[in-house]
Amino acid sequence: MILDDYTEFCKTWATLRSLFGKSTTKDERKMVFNALSRYSLDAVKKACGVCSQLQMPPLPCDIIRAIEFGVATDAQVDVQAKCIWQQIANGYDNKTDYVFAHPRDALAFYIVLGTHKFYSYQTIGDEVLGKRYVEAYKSCDIYKYQKQAQESQIIFADLMGMPKTRNYVTFINDYTRDGDSESVCTQICNKVYGVNNWTITRFDKLSPLPVTNEPPVLYMTKEDSMKALDVLIDVLKPSKKEDA
């Protein structure tokens, strides 16, 4: 938001507070406006609508959660992240490219796995890995790492020698924007692979991959490894409090 949005923001915030029988002060409005200034006025107004369903008067952190995740409570964010991970884990196939409609979903995947080229069905279904995805989903700074997130909206698989023209893809959390005739994932695939040059693979049950006790083979290139490492260092490094 910019200073020109302040008057309209104050009206929106006052209306939201009044729904809970609360008034607002000039100092409070300034504090909340500054806390939300990185977001657009439209995004803040939509988030206020989401937060109007809360049981208690919303705080700035609630508005931020609603802007970034589209839901009002931490419990709802947890459910959302777990559902996305379930889409990733069900029927996992490391010969299929993953296409993410939402940059946050992609960034969280990239933080946890770097790339899925070297994961098997056994490792991708690991409960600990799922929990790490949920935590990364909740904590990743999509604004700071927007470029990495957008670059990761297609996570390319190692195609194990298959012709690249076969381009098998799995859509994750796909949706269609208002006014568009094609879904977000479809648009991404058409742009990257070319129209009619890719095939979507859907899984109704877990893929019957062979069971093996052999460790997963690492197919990451040096460039892949360095990109993953850069993100991991910046996003997952301990806070100063943890260092103390």
Side-chain angles (χ1 to χ4, degrees), residues 218-232:
L218 181 63
Y219 289 104
M220 292 179 73
T221 64
K222 182 177 180 181
E223 183 181 359
D224 286 330
S225 301
M226 293 307 297
K227 285 174 66 178
L229 183 62
D230 287 342
V231 175
L232 286 167

Side-chain angles (χ1 to χ4, degrees), residues 176-181:
T176 302
R177 297 188 183 97
D178 292 341
D180 284 358
S181 59

Side-chain angles (χ1 to χ4, degrees), residues 1 25-26 35 54 58 73 81 93 95 101 112 124 144 158 172 175 179 201 205 215 221 235:
M1 293 184 290
T25 66
K26 182 177 180 180
L54 290 171
T73 68
D93 184 347
K95 295 186 285 291
V112 174
I124 205 73
K144 182 177 180 181
D158 179 85
I172 302 296
Y175 73 103
T201 304
K205 58 183 179 179
T221 64
V235 180

Side-chain angles (χ1 to χ4, degrees), residues 5 33 53 61 72 91 99 103 118 120 125 147 149 168 179 219-220 235:
D5 296 326
F33 181 82
Q53 306 303 314
C61 61
V99 185
F118 58 98
S120 66
K147 183 174 184 293
Y168 291 132
Y219 289 104
M220 292 179 73
V235 180

